[in-house]
Amino acid sequence: MRVAASHDLPKLSGLGVVDRVPLVTGRKSRWPKTDSEGGVEDAALLILEWLAEQGVNAMLRVDAERLAEGRPPWTFAASGGPLEAGMRADGASAALCLSSAVARLRELGIVVPY
Protein backbone atom coordinates (compact mmCIF):
# COMPACT_ATOMS: atom_id res chain seq x y z
CA MET A 1 0.00 0.00 0.00
CA ARG A 2 1.40 3.38 -1.02
CA VAL A 3 1.10 6.31 1.39
CA ALA A 4 0.68 9.62 -0.41
CA ALA A 5 3.11 12.39 0.33
CA SER A 6 1.60 15.76 1.21
CA HIS A 7 2.43 17.13 -2.25
CA ASP A 8 0.35 14.27 -3.80
CA LEU A 9 -2.82 15.34 -1.96
CA PRO A 10 -5.43 17.68 -3.45
CA LYS A 11 -5.01 21.32 -2.49
CA LEU A 12 -7.86 22.50 -0.27
CA SER A 13 -7.97 26.12 0.81
CA GLY A 14 -7.29 26.62 4.51
CA LEU A 15 -6.73 22.97 5.37
CA GLY A 16 -3.57 21.36 6.62
CA VAL A 17 -2.37 17.94 5.51
CA VAL A 18 -3.87 16.31 8.62
CA ASP A 19 -7.31 17.69 7.71
CA ARG A 20 -7.29 16.12 4.25
CA VAL A 21 -9.08 12.93 5.17
CA PRO A 22 -11.52 11.22 2.79
CA LEU A 23 -15.14 11.24 3.90
CA VAL A 24 -16.50 8.06 5.43
CA THR A 25 -18.79 7.49 2.46
CA GLY A 26 -17.13 4.57 0.74
CA ARG A 27 -16.07 6.84 -2.13
CA LYS A 28 -12.32 7.00 -1.67
CA SER A 29 -11.81 9.79 -4.19
CA ARG A 30 -14.11 12.26 -2.40
CA TRP A 31 -12.60 14.91 -0.13
CA PRO A 32 -14.38 16.90 2.60
CA LYS A 33 -15.60 20.44 2.12
CA THR A 34 -14.96 22.91 4.90
CA ASP A 35 -17.77 24.57 6.84
CA SER A 36 -16.69 28.05 7.90
CA GLU A 37 -19.71 28.47 10.22
CA GLY A 38 -18.25 25.98 12.67
CA GLY A 39 -18.17 22.27 12.68
CA VAL A 40 -17.92 19.24 14.81
CA GLU A 41 -14.11 19.40 14.63
CA ASP A 42 -13.90 22.62 16.62
CA ALA A 43 -16.65 21.58 19.04
CA ALA A 44 -15.09 18.16 19.62
CA LEU A 45 -11.68 19.60 20.44
CA LEU A 46 -13.12 22.18 22.82
CA ILE A 47 -15.31 19.59 24.56
CA LEU A 48 -12.46 17.08 24.89
CA GLU A 49 -10.15 19.76 26.29
CA TRP A 50 -12.82 20.98 28.76
CA LEU A 51 -13.46 17.39 29.92
CA ALA A 52 -9.73 16.87 30.48
CA GLU A 53 -9.66 20.01 32.62
CA GLN A 54 -12.43 18.42 34.74
CA GLY A 55 -10.32 15.27 35.20
CA VAL A 56 -12.31 13.23 32.67
CA ASN A 57 -10.43 11.01 30.21
CA ALA A 58 -12.25 11.15 26.87
CA MET A 59 -11.84 10.24 23.22
CA LEU A 60 -13.68 10.38 19.91
CA ARG A 61 -12.87 7.47 17.62
CA VAL A 62 -13.88 6.07 14.23
CA ASP A 63 -13.73 2.31 13.64
CA ALA A 64 -13.25 0.97 10.11
CA GLU A 65 -14.44 -2.52 11.04
CA ARG A 66 -17.75 -1.18 12.39
CA LEU A 67 -18.17 0.90 9.22
CA ALA A 68 -17.58 -2.18 7.04
CA GLU A 69 -20.18 -4.08 9.09
CA GLY A 70 -22.76 -1.33 8.59
CA ARG A 71 -22.75 -0.34 12.26
CA PRO A 72 -22.25 3.21 13.58
CA PRO A 73 -18.51 3.75 13.19
CA TRP A 74 -18.08 6.72 15.55
CA THR A 75 -17.58 6.21 19.29
CA PHE A 76 -17.16 8.66 22.13
CA ALA A 77 -15.90 7.23 25.42
CA ALA A 78 -15.23 8.94 28.74
CA SER A 79 -14.23 7.88 32.25
CA GLY A 80 -12.71 9.24 35.44
CA GLY A 81 -13.08 12.54 37.22
CA PRO A 82 -16.64 13.13 38.34
CA LEU A 83 -17.96 10.13 36.37
CA GLU A 84 -18.73 7.25 38.72
CA ALA A 85 -18.50 4.79 35.83
CA GLY A 86 -17.32 5.08 32.24
CA MET A 87 -19.73 6.04 29.51
CA ARG A 88 -19.94 5.49 25.78
CA ALA A 89 -21.96 6.92 22.90
CA ASP A 90 -22.02 5.70 19.30
CA GLY A 91 -23.15 7.45 16.12
CA ALA A 92 -23.29 7.24 12.36
CA SER A 93 -21.37 10.52 12.08
CA ALA A 94 -18.97 12.42 14.30
CA ALA A 95 -21.62 15.12 14.85
CA LEU A 96 -24.33 12.63 15.88
CA CYS A 97 -21.93 10.78 18.13
CA LEU A 98 -20.76 13.96 19.86
CA SER A 99 -24.31 15.24 20.28
CA SER A 100 -25.38 11.94 21.85
CA ALA A 101 -22.31 11.96 24.11
CA VAL A 102 -22.98 15.49 25.37
CA ALA A 103 -26.62 14.57 26.12
CA ARG A 104 -25.47 11.46 28.01
CA LEU A 105 -22.84 13.42 29.96
CA ARG A 106 -25.53 15.91 30.98
CA GLU A 107 -27.73 13.01 32.19
CA LEU A 108 -24.77 11.93 34.32
CA GLY A 109 -24.47 15.38 35.88
CA ILE A 110 -21.62 16.84 33.80
CA VAL A 111 -22.97 19.96 32.14
CA VAL A 112 -20.70 20.41 29.15
CA PRO A 113 -20.62 24.02 27.96
CA TYR A 114 -20.74 24.50 24.21
Side-chain angles (χ1 to χ4, degrees):
M1 178 172 122
R2 180 182 174 271
V3 176
S6 63
H7 61 271
D8 293 336
L9 297 172
K11 301 292 182 210
L12 297 176
S13 173
L15 292 179
V17 173
V18 174
D19 296 323
R20 295 179 179 145
V21 179
L23 292 177
V24 185
T25 62
R27 290 178 265 163
K28 295 181 182 187
S29 63
R30 185 166 174 180
W31 294 87
K33 294 175 178 55
T34 60
D35 177 9
S36 63
E37 293 301 313
V40 71
E41 301 88 5
D42 291 334
L45 294 176
L46 291 172
I47 291 168
L48 289 170
E49 186 173 7
W50 183 85
L51 287 168
E53 291 169 356
Q54 310 312 306
V56 176
N57 303 308
M59 68 174 195
L60 182 63
R61 172 180 195 264
V62 66
D63 188 324
E65 289 179 23
R66 291 171 54 105
L67 178 66
E69 294 168 355
R71 298 185 309 163
W74 288 93
T75 299
F76 176 93
S79 64
L83 290 172
E84 291 182 18
M87 61 82 52
R88 174 182 171 150
D90 296 308
S93 70
L96 289 173
C97 181
L98 190 60
S99 178
S100 176
V102 168
R104 180 77 179 115
L105 285 165
R106 288 181 173 168
E107 289 173 7
L108 295 171
I110 299 176
V111 181
V112 178
Y114 79 97

